[in-house]
């Protein structure tokens, strides 16, 4: 079954017409497909069966409890970047022993809760963080498993805001320093060196940056072995891109085969941290056309979703395909698809040809990754509802926020 498919001119999520969801749950609403999530995960895993591996879903891409729970049931681990994400994974029934903890700013209390939960590995991003982890672990009488996140200085050829593997950004430790830092780590009484980690960026659509980075990592692993530091796992990070428009990212099978080929005969476990690739095309954002505003030089379709619901277009100039959910008798025109937020940057799509009338619904595609997770309450807008379709069932996995929720933590002065 195709997750999002058109039957008799009507767009469906699995067996449910999106119009029915819009009418029953209102808009804006994120709609995910269970079969898309499951099938995508299984497709990623298919190339890894027979090798010791762990797929650690990058929680930041979509931290919905229901989605984390679904992946946990499929055997996934998780890549987290905060104590909050750890709490979510645990609340969703994820196994902390399958969690890797990335991020440049881990606080004392985050390190403590990760040690108490017994996570699989800290992906350490600086020498000072290493010292901090040693200190917290010593206080708790625990041994902290670590990898160093090394920065291989390869160009991921993606948007600069989501490229992380180059020398001049804040992530990881410089490749040239890694050997020395590993030797220091190996001497620390409450640190156990378990792996090497590397993540070079996101929405990467070519294979070569991944392989260049892995070659450097393997060179490091060999140098460590010579110094009697034995690595149990290699974490190759996330970053595999998806098709939003006309991108042609590598197939999962091609990507995993190329990686496994480089690891052949090494006897190390391999960890992956995919986010977008597992969820991006498993979700759409449903929205309603509020107004059509026809102008001399531009026509605007003003919809009820905005940059606070889906920030990617405003932040990265990202493209998301936008379609109607049913055939319409109206004439197609070219529109700027914009939201109600008071910013010129509040757009969802430029120059889109759409046959629409006020009151029609639109689907904003490829919204399953970094959509809801980056949403905000800007302009005091309540966050969208989220539903997950499973065959002909629609499950509300997050209710629409109520306006009163938005200021319930606030106080006026006495
Ligand atoms: N591992 C680490 C350490 C990361 O920093 C990230 C993403 C991932 C894994 C997952 O990467 P993915 O497989 O999803 O590419 N908000 C941006 C993307 C930011 C990615 C940040 N790090 C966007 O909407 O495009």
């Amino acid at each position: 079954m195709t997750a999002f498919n058109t039957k008799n001119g009507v767009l469906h999520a699995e067996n449910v017409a999106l119009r029915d969801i819009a009418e029953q749950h209102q808009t804006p609403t994120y709609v995910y497909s269970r079969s898309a999530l499951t099938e995508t995960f299984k497709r990623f895993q298919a190339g890894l069966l027979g090798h010791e591996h762990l797929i650690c879903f990058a929680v930041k891409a979509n931290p919905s409890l229901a989605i984390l729970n679904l992946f946990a049931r499929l055997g996934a681990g998780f890549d987290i970047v905060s104590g909050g994400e750890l709490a979510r994974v645990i609340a969703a029934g994820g196994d902390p022993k399958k969690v890797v903890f990335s991020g440049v700013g881990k606080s004392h209390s985050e390190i403590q809760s990760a040690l108490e939960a017994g996570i699989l590995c800290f992906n350490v991003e600086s020498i000072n963080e290493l010292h901090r982890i040693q200190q917290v672990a010593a206080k708790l009488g625990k041994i902290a498993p670590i990898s160093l996140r090394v920065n291989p200085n390869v160009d991921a050829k993606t948007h600069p805001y989501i490229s992380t593997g180059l020398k001049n950004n804040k992530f990881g430790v410089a490749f040239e320093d890694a050997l020395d830092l590993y030797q220091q780590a190996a001497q620390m009484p409450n640190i156990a060196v378990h792996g090497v980690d590397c993540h070079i960026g996101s929405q990467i659509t070519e294979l070569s940056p991944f392989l260049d980075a892995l070659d450097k990592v393997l060179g490091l692993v060999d140098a460590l072995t010579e110094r009697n530091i034995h690595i149990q796992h290699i974490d190759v990070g996330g970053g595999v891109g998806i098709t939003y428009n006309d991108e042609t990212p590598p197939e999962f099978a091609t990507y995993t085969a190329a990686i496994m080929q480089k690891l052949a005969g090494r006897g190390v476990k391999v960890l992956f941290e995919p986010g977008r690739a597992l969820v991006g095309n498993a979700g759409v954002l449903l929205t309603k056309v509020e107004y059509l505003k026809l102008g001399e030089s531009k026509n605007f379709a003003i919809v009820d979703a905005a940059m606070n619901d889906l920030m990617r277009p405003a932040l990265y100039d990202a493209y998301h395909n936008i379609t109607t959910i049913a055939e319409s008798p109206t004439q197609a025109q070219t529109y700027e698809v914009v939201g109600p937020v008071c910013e010129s940057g509040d757009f969802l799509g430029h120059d889109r040809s759409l046959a629409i009338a006020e009151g029609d619904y639109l689907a904003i595609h490829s919204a399953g990754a970094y959509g809801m997770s980056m949403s905000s309450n800007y302009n005091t807008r309540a966050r969208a509802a989220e539903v997950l379709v499973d065959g002909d069932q629609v499950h509300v996995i997050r209710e629409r926020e109520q306006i009163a929720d938005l200021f319930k933590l606030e106080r006026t002065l006495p």
Side-chain angles (χ1 to χ4, degrees):
M1 179 198 325
T2 330
F4 295 97
N5 59 92
T6 304
K7 289 183 199 125
N8 304 325
V10 176
L11 189 60
H12 285 65
E14 303 195 14
N15 300 331
V16 182
L18 289 181
R19 173 181 294 282
D20 293 344
I21 295 176
E23 281 169 1
Q24 195 174 347
H25 300 279
Q26 286 72 55
T27 50
T29 292
Y30 278 95
V31 182
Y32 308 107
S33 152
R34 180 178 186 162
S35 72
L37 293 162
T38 305
E39 282 167 22
T40 308
F41 184 87
K42 290 191 170 159
R43 210 158 25 83
F44 196 97
Q45 197 172 38
L48 303 171
L49 300 172
H51 303 277
E52 213 194 341
H53 72 274
L54 185 63
I55 301 169
C56 296
F57 172 60
V59 173
K60 64 170 84 73
N62 194 320
S64 154
L65 291 185
I67 290 177
L68 299 184
N69 173 262
L70 201 69
F71 285 141
R73 287 198 247 172
L74 292 168
F78 297 95
D79 167 49
I80 61 163
V81 289
S82 70
E85 288 190 349
L86 176 59
R88 268 188 182 276
V89 167
I90 293 170
D95 181 356
K97 289 184 206 66
K98 292 184 178 175
V99 166
V100 294
F101 191 172
S102 306
V104 293
K106 303 177 189 78
S107 70
H108 281 102
S109 67
E110 287 176 325
I111 293 168
Q112 178 165 340
S113 43
L115 282 168
E116 282 165 352
I119 66 163
L120 175 66
C121 198
F122 289 88
N123 289 337
V124 177
E125 306 226 12
S126 66
I127 178 68
N128 292 1
E129 182 191 327
L130 191 58
H131 286 301
R132 184 180 282 187
I133 294 174
Q134 158 58 34
Q135 198 187 18
V136 178
K139 209 158 78 189
L140 296 176
K142 294 198 183 275
I143 303 291
I146 68 108
S147 290
L148 289 185
R149 174 172 174 184
V150 297
N151 195 335
N153 199 27
V154 303
D155 186 355
K157 300 178 191 139
T158 181
H159 190 288
Y161 283 15
I162 51 177
S163 180
T164 56
L166 280 170
K167 241 184 187 162
N168 58 359
N169 66 49
K170 69 178 178 181
F171 298 101
V173 302
F175 197 78
E176 307 75 56
D177 300 341
L179 203 50
D180 176 48
L181 293 181
Y182 265 108
Q183 286 176 297
Q184 291 186 45
Q187 301 301 317
M188 294 184 181
N190 296 81
I191 296 286
V193 172
H194 276 211
V196 179
D197 169 47
C198 172
H199 170 81
I200 55 173
S202 198
Q203 184 53 15
I204 299 169
T205 52
E206 290 174 37
L207 199 52
S208 58
F210 292 112
L211 300 182
D212 294 347
L214 184 54
D215 281 336
K216 292 190 96 172
V217 164
L218 292 177
L220 174 64
V221 169
D222 292 340
L224 289 170
T225 309
E226 278 169 28
R227 286 161 183 79
N228 220 17
I229 298 174
H230 299 282
I231 293 303
Q232 299 166 26
H233 74 241
I234 294 177
D235 182 338
V236 297
V240 177
I242 63 168
T243 302
Y244 286 97
N245 187 15
D246 52 7
E247 305 88 337
T248 51
E251 296 285 333
F252 291 166
T254 312
Y255 165 76
T256 51
I259 291 198
M260 295 323 299
Q261 194 184 358
K262 287 206 181 280
L263 296 180
R266 286 185 171 262
V268 286
K269 179 172 178 174
V270 57
L271 270 50
F272 294 84
E273 302 173 356
R276 185 189 324 263
L278 295 188
V279 291
N281 275 325
V284 302
L285 174 57
L286 255 186
T287 184
K288 184 168 81 179
V289 178
E290 291 285 0
Y291 296 100
L292 294 180
K293 192 170 171 179
L294 305 183
E296 226 168 75
S297 58
K298 293 240 182 241
N299 299 322
F300 293 93
I302 302 168
V303 300
D304 67 358
M307 64 186 286
N308 75 294
D309 300 299
L310 181 66
M311 198 184 186
R312 303 191 69 260
L315 190 59
Y316 313 114
D317 207 11
Y319 179 93
H320 286 259
N321 187 20
I322 301 177
T323 65
T324 52
I325 63 168
E327 277 161 14
S328 158
T330 51
Q331 198 69 21
Q333 298 215 54
T334 301
Y335 293 98
E336 292 289 298
V337 181
V338 301
V341 162
C342 298
E343 300 248 5
S344 302
D346 179 28
F347 72 95
L348 297 161
H350 294 303
D351 288 335
R352 302 303 173 87
S353 171
L354 293 164
I356 45 176
E358 290 179 0
D360 282 356
Y361 297 106
L362 297 174
I364 304 176
H365 294 256
S366 314
Y370 306 108
M372 187 64 174
S373 68
M374 292 175 77
S375 66
S376 79
N377 295 120
Y378 188 39
N379 280 207
T380 305
R381 288 169 50 82
R383 251 176 285 229
E386 290 177 292
V387 304
L388 201 152
V389 175
D390 182 5
D392 42 26
Q393 301 280 311
V394 180
H395 301 280
V396 176
I397 58 168
R398 181 179 161 121
E399 288 180 28
R400 186 176 307 287
E401 250 169 8
Q402 298 301 308
I403 298 295
D405 294 339
L406 305 191
F407 45 82
K408 72 166 184 264
L409 302 177
E410 298 179 36
R411 304 287 178 265
T412 53
L413 297 178

